[in-house]
Amino acid sequence: MATTMQAPAIGAVRTTTKTVTAIYWIVTALFCLQMAFTAYAQLRLPQVAEAFRHFGYPDYFRVELSWAKVFGVLVLLLPAPVRLKEWVYAGFAINLGSALVAHFAVGDTLQATSWAAGTSALWMISYFLWLRRERQAE
C-alpha cells in the first residue's frame, strides 16, 4: 500500500520527542541555575544590592524579586500544572525584559547587560522547547 505522506524536504531536521525533551531539560536546568544564582546574589551579595540602588529600586523589591525567582525555579523543575508554568515563564520574561530596560535606562555598558541578555536567551530556548513538548504531548 502506497503512503500518502510527503517525504521531508532536503535538509529538514527531524527531531524526536526524546531529543527535544533532553535539550529542553539541559537548557531549562541551565536557565534555572542562572535564576537561582541571581536570587542568591540578590539576597546575599552587597554589590548586587548596590546595583539595585543604582537602578533606583527600593531594597524590599530586591528581596521580593529573589523569592519570586526561587518559587519560579521550583515550578519549572517540579511537576506543576501547565497554566502555572505558563505564568512562571511570563513572569520570568517580564523580569528579564525589565532587567535589560533597567540597564539601558541607567546607561550601563553592554558588558553589564550581558548576564541579563544571556539568561534571556536561555529563557527563550527553554520556553519554546517547553511549548513544543506540550504540543507533542497532545
Side-chain angles (χ1 to χ4, degrees), residues 11-134:
V13 177
R14 295 182 55 116
T15 55
T16 65
T17 303
K18 285 183 180 182
T19 303
V20 170
T21 298
I23 296 169
Y24 164 77
W25 280 113
I26 291 167
V27 172
T28 301
L30 290 172
F31 172 71
C32 287
L33 279 171
Q34 288 273 85
M35 296 310 284
F37 175 74
T38 59
Y40 168 80
Q42 289 167 357
L43 288 172
R44 297 287 181 200
L45 301 180
Q47 62 268 35
V48 177
E50 180 55 40
F52 268 75
R53 284 188 284 283
H54 171 68
F55 295 137
Y57 295 135
D59 202 46
Y60 67 84
F61 179 68
R62 175 179 55 83
V63 175
E64 193 176 281
L65 185 62
S66 298
W67 288 109
K69 286 179 180 183
V70 170
F71 173 74
V73 165
L74 291 173
V75 169
L76 291 185
L77 294 177
L78 300 173
V82 171
R83 184 73 52 169
L84 184 57
K85 286 192 187 252
E86 286 175 350
W87 278 102
V88 166
Y89 274 116
F92 279 138
I94 292 166
N95 171 251
L96 293 165
S98 296
L100 289 169
V101 168
H103 281 290
F104 291 130
V106 297
D108 282 348
T109 64
L110 285 178
Q111 183 181 4
T113 63
S114 63
W115 187 270
T119 306
S120 296
L122 287 173
W123 172 89
M124 196 179 318
I125 296 166
S126 174
Y127 178 65
F128 287 110
L129 288 173
W130 176 74
L131 286 176
R132 185 168 179 176
R133 289 180 68 233
E134 287 301 311

